[in-house]
Amino acid sequence: MSTALQAQHVRDEIIIRMENVQKWYGSFHVLKDINLEVRTGERIVICGPSGSGKSTLIRCINHLEHAQEGRIVVDRIELGASSRNLDAIRREVGMVFQQFNLFPHLTVLQNCMLAPMKVRGTSKSEAEATARKYLERVRIPEQADKYPAQLSGGQQQRVAIARALCMNPKIMLFDEPTSALDPEMVKEVLDTMVNLAEEGMTMICVTHEMGFARQVADRIIFMDRGEIVEEGTPDTFFTNPRHERTRNFLGQILSH
Amino acid sequence: MLRQFGTNEFLFILTAARWTVLLSLIAFAGGAIGGLIVALSRVSSLKALSLTAGGFIQVFQGTPLLMQLFLVFFGATTLGFDTNPWIAAAVALTLNASAFLGEIWRGCIQAVPKGQWEAAGALGLHYPATMRYIILPQAFKIALPPTVGFLVQLIKATSLAAIIGFTEVTRAGQIINNATFRPFVVFGIVAAIYFILCWPLSHLSMRLERRFAAATTR
């Protein structure tokens, strides 16, 4: 079976391109010559030991972190010196964080309505309709008027997903979305992400959930010490990893 | 000849308390506006702005309030402004409150978790909108107890305005004491008036702090 045969949902158009990206924290080299192309509709899972640069990599895509060298082009927009391009990029890229980062002083509905109103200039009624639609989609419409602290971790993360979707992004970044959750809540968040994948969203997920990776990913990328060590389809990645470091990592996380 | 301490003398002191209250309110209102500017400058990414605000805070925290009052009062006269104790006291206390509130609020703004900035940034919100809708509302909750606590300090600090001749409650006490020579009674009453003004605020500050602690430890 040829790996060139791409799944139907992946289109030819390249939506994210990273070329020779380098990043240092002081003298610590976090990202070493990263090259990555993501196609529209593609779902990518990034895994690797902690401190390997996975989160830093996806945070460079929406410029929460700045790479010192290399090019990053998102939806044909390259971040030059202009902050206008940064705005354009952030409008296309939604992000979900490990710690949810919901706004605690706003209700669930207000969390979802704020950015569309203040960034896109959407009217209040339209923003509310959109917010309710996505809360419905993540299956918590009844929580709309509660505050984040009144919800469980799983519910909060689903609100965070809905909040990002309200901006109608073309790409969704997930930074270890289930790592801060109690085990019984992991599934509800993963289910939401699977639904999103089925709808054709371009997704890059940093996660240790290998079941999710197997089920959803078009491509799995393994990172270690700031490098992309190996990438491949779930089939080849799990059954036939090429690198020693990948085998060690898989041995550790799949052994129990 | 010594005057007796009677109802009139008591009322003189009591009515002077309104000037203490008014001066406190003016200094607090001015200090709130100034403090917000100082706090926002302090957390700004513009180095020059942040350093200027930092210097302002250092100067006003590192010198006695009494000297600040003198410098404003006599400084204005030296520069040729016809100033009165009222204006001098209001200006000096406003500047002082701006520095202290600015420093308190800087800490509160920085106490809002970094993830809030990141979430707002990832949603495309700009700095002013992030500040206004995300950071300041959360910082406000954190700031409430120490701010009320500072208001108590400020009310007591207005007593120094007596020295440049502003007739608030302390100076009213001095005037009455000079006429009656009943210092224990007179200054006891003055102290009681400050206590009546400050105690409910101290109490409020403690209650806010407890409520805040309860809300954040969950």
Side-chain angles (χ1 to χ4, degrees), chain B residues 133-162:
Chain B
Y133 299 109
I134 310 295
I135 306 300
L136 288 182
Q138 294 182 60
F140 180 79
K141 273 189 199 161
I142 307 171
L144 214 48
T147 302
V148 174
F150 175 75
L151 180 55
V152 172
Q153 300 297 320
L154 190 64
I155 291 171
K156 292 186 290 185
T158 58
S159 64
L160 287 174

Side-chain angles (χ1 to χ4, degrees), chain A residues 12-247:
Chain A
D12 282 341
E13 172 198 18
I14 288 170
I15 196 162
I16 300 172
R17 180 190 306 249
M18 301 178 91
E19 287 176 6
N20 310 109
V21 171
Q22 310 264 7
K23 179 170 175 62
W24 290 264
Y25 287 127
S27 62
F28 179 58
H29 203 170
V30 250
L31 294 180
K32 296 174 188 162
D33 197 27
I34 300 292
N35 288 283
L36 178 66
E37 282 181 354
V38 181
R39 290 170 194 281
T40 304
E42 206 175 2
R43 309 126 179 186
I44 290 183
V45 163
I46 304 179
C47 62
S50 58
S52 58
K54 321 176 287 283
S55 293
T56 309
L57 187 150
I58 66 165
R59 289 158 64 89
C60 283
I61 293 171
N62 66 347
H63 297 280
L64 284 182
E65 307 271 358
H66 293 276
Q68 283 99 338
E69 284 179 25
R71 290 179 70 199
I72 301 172
V73 184
V74 179
D75 196 28
R76 278 169 303 197
I77 310 161
E78 183 164 4
L79 184 83
S82 122
S83 62
R84 184 184 296 180
N85 283 358
L86 177 63
D87 292 347
I89 290 169
R90 286 186 171 170
R91 272 200 295 270
E92 305 307 338
V93 182
M95 188 164 200
V96 174
F97 300 87
Q98 182 177 354
Q99 298 297 341
F100 327 137
N101 293 352
L102 292 175
F103 306 133
H105 60 298
L106 300 177
T107 64
V108 164
L109 196 62
Q110 290 167 336
N111 262 276
C112 294
M113 290 167 62
L114 183 73
M117 286 165 67
K118 302 301 170 195
V119 177
R120 291 207 193 269
T122 311
S123 72
K124 194 175 175 202
S125 56
E126 201 182 325
E128 180 171 341
T130 310
R132 290 197 187 276
K133 180 177 89 179
Y134 283 111
L135 289 172
E136 188 90 44
R137 184 90 55 96
V138 300
R139 292 189 303 270
I140 33 174
E142 72 284 357
Q143 311 288 359
D145 297 318
K146 289 195 181 164
Y147 285 89
Q150 295 169 286
L151 305 184
S152 72
Q155 290 172 325
Q156 290 190 50
Q157 195 60 300
R158 285 186 284 150
V159 172
I161 293 171
R163 179 177 69 176
L165 291 176
C166 283
M167 288 297 282
N168 207 10
K170 291 184 180 165
I171 303 160
M172 283 285 281
L173 307 174
F174 292 85
D175 189 0
E176 303 205 25
T178 57
S179 301
L181 295 175
D182 292 335
E184 72 270 23
M185 292 168 187
V186 169
K187 189 175 176 297
E188 63 186 63
V189 171
L190 291 180
D191 285 347
T192 309
M193 291 167 65
V194 170
N195 286 342
L196 200 57
E198 282 165 355
E199 285 160 23
M201 177 66 77
T202 307
M203 294 165 68
I204 304 184
C205 313
V206 172
T207 181
H208 297 296
E209 296 294 336
M210 291 300 127
F212 171 80
R214 212 185 274 269
Q215 184 186 355
V216 167
D218 296 303
R219 211 162 16 129
I220 300 182
I221 290 174
F222 173 69
M223 287 185 73
D224 191 21
R225 290 175 236 159
E227 295 170 309
I228 294 180
V229 174
E230 176 159 1
E231 56 176 277
T233 62
D235 264 355
T236 54
F237 183 81
F238 287 113
T239 55
N240 197 12
R242 288 187 307 258
H243 282 267
E244 180 71 33
R245 282 195 265 175
T246 317
R247 281 196 289 273

